[in-house]
Amino acid sequence: MSAHSRIPFVCGNWKLHHGREATGAQVRELVAGLPALRDRARIAVAPVVTCLAVAVEAAAGKLPIAAQNVHFAEKGAFTGEWSVGHLKELGVSYVIVGHSERRALFADNDETVAKKVRAVLDGGLLPIACIGETESQRENGKTKHVVTEEIEAILAAVRPDEADRLTLAYEPVWAIGTGKNASAQQAQEVHALIRSLLKKHFGTKAEVVCIQYGGSVKPDNVAILMAEPDVDGALVGGASLEAKSLLAIAQNAIR
Ligand code: PGA
């Protein structure tokens, strides 16, 4: 399988934006825009947890809905959390795991991220597992080391026969919400490293894993990133809030 046979996969991460009304309206607009992509790009969207049910209903089975987080336990004394089972009963398909904001602000770490990825797979949902270095880590030449550690922790939780259910998102922290995206070359350098780690773990199955890039992706910079052989899609924050913009990103991601 070559890069060009991996269908571009774009996921909108709505973070703490859009209430029920806007969620429903934006999801309906996304669904209406799907035919124009002619199955040459895939889209998913991750609303606020309280809007997941509205999103699933508006998607009417045509657009997969993602959660932004999950707890790894099935149940227990975890006030304020929800499980994979809860997401499953809502009809959610994907779960973003280990986003840098969760790692920085809500104590996610390599261990909990691995447990969450395992729980998502065990529950029959699809993880989008995030990794990426901070600005100071990059400046100190630690990018390769940080990304390798984060990826190895995730891969230790995934069996080779599950490779096709895994999506990874490389999001350099310094590029998130800053308007300062990584250059195509910077992204490819890390994506190639990730692919090589995938090969060690999965063998030839490494080629089926979608590796998204995230960090200030917009309609006008996605094509140049997608031209790189190991960039297979995008995890998009700010530019995903308007359906038109997310659809334009998906359209421009088509190779
Ligand atoms: P951004 O966010 O596109 O607004 O930079 C990306 C993300 O956090 O997933």
Side-chain angles (χ1 to χ4, degrees), residues 13 15 99-101 171 175-179 214-217 235-239:
N13 172 11
K15 307 190 179 184
H99 187 280
S100 64
E101 286 150 19
E171 299 203 300
I176 295 178
T178 58
S216 299
V217 173
L235 185 55
V236 187

Side-chain angles (χ1 to χ4, degrees), residues 37-101:
L37 299 175
R38 306 200 340 266
D39 294 327
R40 295 178 62 205
R42 299 187 287 132
I43 299 188
V45 74
V48 173
V49 68
T50 56
C51 299
L52 285 170
V54 163
V56 169
E57 196 188 325
K62 298 192 175 110
L63 179 84
I65 300 301
Q68 298 174 16
N69 181 40
V70 74
H71 196 278
F72 50 78
E74 264 175 59
K75 57 182 171 184
F78 301 108
T79 302
E81 295 293 312
W82 53 89
S83 71
V84 174
H86 293 113
L87 296 178
K88 223 169 142 176
E89 70 185 12
L90 288 179
V92 165
S93 307
Y94 287 90
V95 187
I96 299 172
V97 174
H99 187 280
S100 64
E101 286 150 19

